[in-house]
């Protein structure tokens, strides 16, 4: 029978792997030595309560999840797959919420599996100082991504060949916050600020039911047209609702490494 420390180590490794994090990346995020994490995962070391909280924060999960056994979510909630399927399909807001997190998970896996990327960083969703959805280390440069998804209800499919599919996506913050503009003034807005991230990734699953993405540089995104802001401030804010077509049209591209190379060369 496995000891408690062995069970905890297996659970930690299971969640770390699900999050597409290496021991080195988790070590960096949790500020815990990598060899310590290795020992814990092998069941060779007892772990303090303080370090359980550090690891949970780095993994962006509540601490109690590290203490559960490896039973899957359906077993723990005592539901069957059909119940979960019905619940998600009948609740658009829940479907959008789940799809958004899946989009982030899929794109992290995409970059993790590419040897050109040396490190991935996913900040805590509640970290106000680091609001990027993902930071990719590429050719020695940290490049930040904002990840958005198509609004399913806006998708317009054509039955005719060679006619582009159309949709739009919401490109703003989840809540209103204070930002500073170029003249030093502060404004309260949900708009994203130009330059606050490097690349936008748009989840296109609603077009073809495949995990595909469109990528665009921050500087190439359309600016806000909201009349409540003076023109000079609108130039510094990204438009909240942005249209997109499939096949992709500029400024969107399917290959993020085209934009990553462009950013690296400019820096």
């Amino acid at each position: 029978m496995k000891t408690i420390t062995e069970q905890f180590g297996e659970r930690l490794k299971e969640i770390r792997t699900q999050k597409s994090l290496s021991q080195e990346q988790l070590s960096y995020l949790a500020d815990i030595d990598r060899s310590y994490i290795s020992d814990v995962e092998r069941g060779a070391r007892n772990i303090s309560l303080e370090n359980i909280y550090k690891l949970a924060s780095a993994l962006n999960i509540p601490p109690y999840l590290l203490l559960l056994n490896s039973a899957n979510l359906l077993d723990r909630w005592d539901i069957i797959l059909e119940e979960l399927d019905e619940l998600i399909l009948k609740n658009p807001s829940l479907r959008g919420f789940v799809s958004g997190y899946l989009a982030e998970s899929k794109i992290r896996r995409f970059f993790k599996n590419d040897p050109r990327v040396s490190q991935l960083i996913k900040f805590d969703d509640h970290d106000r100082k680091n609001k990027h959805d993902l930071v990719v280390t590429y050719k020695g440069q940290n490049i930040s991504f904002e990840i958005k998804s198509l609004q399913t209800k806006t998708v317009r499919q054509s039955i005719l060949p060679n006619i582009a599919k159309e949709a739009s996506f919401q490109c703003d913050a989840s809540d209103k916050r204070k930002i500073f503009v170029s003249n030093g003034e502060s404004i309260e807005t949900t708009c994203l600020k130009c330059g606050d991230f490097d690349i936008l990734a748009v989840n296109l699953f609603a077009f073809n039911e495949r995990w595909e993405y469109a990528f665009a540089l921050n500087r190439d995104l359309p600016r806000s047209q909201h009349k409540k802001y003076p023109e000079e401030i609108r130039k510094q804010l990204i438009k909240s609702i942005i249209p997109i077509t499939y096949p992709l049209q500029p400024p969107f591209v399917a290959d993020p490494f085209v934009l990553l190379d462009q950013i690296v060369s400019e820096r």
Side-chain angles (χ1 to χ4, degrees):
M1 184 175 179
K2 293 179 180 177
T3 66
I4 293 176
T5 54
E6 288 172 334
Q7 291 177 34
F8 181 90
E10 288 183 356
R11 180 66 176 154
L12 173 60
K13 183 177 181 179
E14 176 186 27
I15 295 176
R16 175 179 63 75
T17 302
Q18 289 172 355
K19 296 278 187 178
S20 299
L21 292 172
S22 66
Q23 288 183 345
E24 289 80 4
Q25 290 167 332
L26 181 56
S27 169
Y28 173 81
L29 293 173
D31 193 25
I32 295 175
D33 189 82
R34 190 206 62 79
S35 62
Y36 182 96
I37 293 175
S38 176
D39 287 346
V40 169
E41 289 189 352
R42 290 187 293 107
R45 182 192 290 260
N46 288 320
I47 185 169
S48 69
L49 185 60
E50 178 184 1
N51 283 336
I52 289 177
Y53 273 82
K54 281 186 175 183
L55 289 169
S57 178
L59 292 165
N60 197 25
I61 60 171
Y64 74 85
L65 285 183
L66 286 170
L67 303 174
L68 294 174
N69 62 33
S70 60
N72 65 46
L73 185 65
L74 299 181
D75 291 338
R76 293 204 300 272
W77 285 1
D78 190 24
I79 61 174
I80 60 176
L81 183 60
E82 287 76 10
E83 289 179 280
L84 182 60
D85 186 60
E86 181 181 9
L87 182 66
I88 291 176
L89 289 177
K90 286 187 176 181
N91 293 275
S93 59
L94 176 60
R95 186 167 63 249
F97 184 78
V98 173
S99 175
Y101 274 99
L102 275 173
E104 292 187 24
S105 176
K106 295 288 184 180
I107 202 168
R108 286 199 301 272
R109 185 181 302 173
F110 167 79
F111 282 120
K112 178 179 182 293
N113 291 335
D114 195 298
R116 292 171 290 181
V117 173
S118 59
Q119 180 176 251
L120 299 179
I121 300 174
K122 170 67 171 77
F123 295 107
D124 190 316
D125 289 342
H126 303 292
D127 186 344
R128 291 285 180 175
K129 294 182 179 179
N130 297 292
K131 291 297 288 180
H132 306 312
D133 290 325
L134 181 66
V135 175
V136 169
T137 304
Y138 177 69
K139 294 184 177 179
Q141 296 291 323
N142 287 337
I143 299 173
S144 57
F145 284 76
E146 189 77 16
I147 304 171
K148 301 298 180 183
S149 295
L150 296 182
Q151 294 178 311
T152 305
K153 64 182 180 181
T154 70
V155 174
R156 293 184 292 279
Q157 305 275 13
S158 175
I159 61 174
L160 300 176
N162 303 320
I163 301 298
K165 302 172 184 180
E166 300 176 345
S168 59
F169 60 93
Q170 193 164 345
C171 189
D172 58 11
S174 57
D175 54 7
K176 185 175 289 188
R177 77 271 188 247
K178 182 185 293 185
I179 66 171
F180 290 90
V181 292
S182 59
N183 62 5
E185 295 181 5
S186 65
I187 60 171
E188 294 278 339
T189 182
T190 59
C191 289
L192 296 176
K193 186 180 176 184
C194 301
D196 271 359
F197 59 92
D198 297 309
I199 297 176
L200 176 72
V202 185
N203 162 31
L204 304 179
F205 187 86
F207 272 146
N208 300 310
E209 295 198 340
R210 295 194 298 266
W211 292 105
E212 300 175 320
Y213 295 83
F215 301 91
L217 293 174
N218 179 300
R219 64 173 180 238
D220 293 334
L221 296 171
R223 302 302 187 242
S224 174
Q225 299 174 350
H226 206 303
K227 298 300 183 182
K228 78 174 184 178
Y229 302 119
E231 182 178 359
E232 190 56 36
I233 290 181
R234 291 202 298 269
K235 292 179 181 178
Q236 302 172 55
L237 303 175
I238 295 172
K239 189 176 181 180
S240 294
I241 303 294
I242 299 177
I244 190 170
T245 61
Y246 188 94
L248 301 176
Q249 299 292 326
F252 297 101
V253 298
D255 183 2
F257 288 95
V258 172
L259 305 182
L260 289 167
D261 280 328
Q262 186 174 341
I263 290 172
V264 169
S265 67
E266 291 174 353
R267 289 181 180 178

